[in-house]
Amino acid sequence: MADVKAGVEYKINVNSNLFLLDNKKYQLLQSILDYGSLTKAAKEIKVSYRTALNYIEKMEMALDVKIVNTTKGGKGGGGGTSLTDDGYSILKECKKINAIMELHKDVNEIEAEIVDVNLEKGVMTIKMNQFEINAPLNRNYELGDKILALISYDNIFLMLEPQSSSIRNVLKGQIVEMRLKNEIIRVKIDVGGVVLCSDITVSAEKELNLNIGSEVYVGFKAMSVATLKL
């Protein structure tokens, strides 16, 4: 099977002017902020000065804002390049997206079928084997559609007993694996023939007294389930 990878582009909207900022241009803005020099920033992202300048010019033209300020130095140097307020705002928005993506980069992938649609509540029920959960209703889907459900590891909570809360999906399962990774314990739980992963802290593991073979309840909100049609 081919090694498939997907890249990311940031859709920047400034006063209704749109520009798709790829990772290279994002890194250029970050390097300008770090080094205060377009020359050093270009070297950092491994492009020529002319290419880096062309990146900036394209962004400024498309968005109709000034992204960087350049000052010339005297004989002793002292010149440099810095981000304008608009340039910094663009970089900040990209960094926010990065932080969210990093937080949710590990996801459970579940291939399931839509078995019920509740228009009044705005939810649909999806099922795989004995695993059945609620997810936000997508009106482009129909009964019987095959979909892929995505649930971030950190959106899955572990409980010893089911509790009354806003969590819509609460399912009983059994722990089949526990592994420590960077001060976080990755717990695998068999729930109705589907294995879900949940990341918990070491203190939470001790508080719940979890072990392989323990029966637990997993809980997650319907809104935390992202779906796409297969």
Side-chain angles (χ1 to χ4, degrees):
M1 182 179 292
D3 182 15
V4 180
K5 295 181 180 179
V8 174
E9 287 187 320
Y10 307 89
K11 187 176 181 180
I12 306 301
N13 185 327
V14 178
N15 298 326
S16 298
N17 296 312
L18 298 176
F19 185 81
L20 288 178
L21 189 75
D22 61 22
N23 188 60
K24 200 77 167 179
K25 296 178 182 66
Y26 162 74
Q27 292 296 337
L28 175 62
L29 296 183
Q30 180 63 58
S31 296
I32 289 173
L33 179 66
D34 291 340
Y35 297 105
S37 164
L38 184 58
T39 301
K40 291 181 180 179
K43 185 177 181 180
E44 177 68 17
I45 68 169
K46 297 179 173 59
V47 300
S48 68
Y49 176 88
R50 171 50 58 184
T51 297
L53 186 60
N54 183 254
Y55 286 167
I56 296 297
E57 289 174 347
K58 284 185 176 180
M59 284 187 276
E60 291 184 335
M61 184 175 297
L63 297 172
D64 195 26
V65 293
K66 192 167 179 59
I67 292 176
V68 301
N69 283 321
T70 301
T71 57
K72 293 183 178 181
K75 292 183 178 179
T81 301
S82 60
L83 297 180
T84 63
D85 289 344
D86 287 325
Y88 182 76
S89 294
I90 291 169
L91 177 61
K92 184 174 71 172
E93 289 304 308
C94 293
K95 294 178 79 168
K96 284 163 59 177
I97 294 172
N98 270 359
I100 293 170
M101 290 175 59
E102 183 66 23
L103 182 63
H104 298 288
K105 67 179 181 179
D106 293 322
V107 296
N108 294 284
E109 300 183 12
I110 305 159
E111 293 189 18
E113 178 182 343
I114 299 175
V115 296
D116 186 58
V117 171
N118 190 319
L119 294 173
E120 183 180 349
K121 293 183 178 180
V123 298
M124 57 187 182
T125 302
I126 62 176
K127 185 175 182 180
M128 176 182 178
N129 300 330
Q130 300 303 309
F131 179 84
E132 187 174 296
I133 61 172
N134 291 310
L137 175 62
N138 186 318
R139 295 179 184 274
N140 294 320
Y141 298 166
E142 298 178 355
L143 282 175
D145 279 347
K146 304 293 184 182
I147 66 170
L148 182 66
L150 305 174
I151 314 167
S152 176
Y153 292 3
D154 55 289
N155 277 337
I156 295 182
F157 303 93
L158 300 186
M159 303 168 282
L160 297 180
E161 297 290 341
Q163 301 173 12
S164 298
S165 70
S166 61
I167 296 175
R168 191 172 187 88
N169 295 298
V170 178
L171 307 164
K172 189 175 183 179
Q174 185 177 50
I175 296 175
V176 295
E177 183 180 307
M178 298 176 67
R179 184 171 297 178
L180 181 65
K181 181 181 179 181
N182 299 327
E183 304 303 319
I184 295 294
I185 296 177
R186 180 153 295 173
V187 184
K188 291 186 178 181
I189 312 101
D190 186 323
V191 182
V194 173
V195 175
L196 296 179
C197 291
S198 173
D199 285 344
I200 64 173
T201 62
V202 173
S203 59
E205 181 269 336
K206 291 181 178 178
E207 182 178 334
L208 296 173
N209 192 28
L210 301 179
N211 294 287
I212 294 176
S214 296
E215 289 190 344
V216 294
Y217 288 87
V218 300
F220 50 94
K221 295 182 178 181
M223 289 299 296
S224 67
V225 183
T227 61
L228 58 91
K229 191 175 179 179
L230 296 176

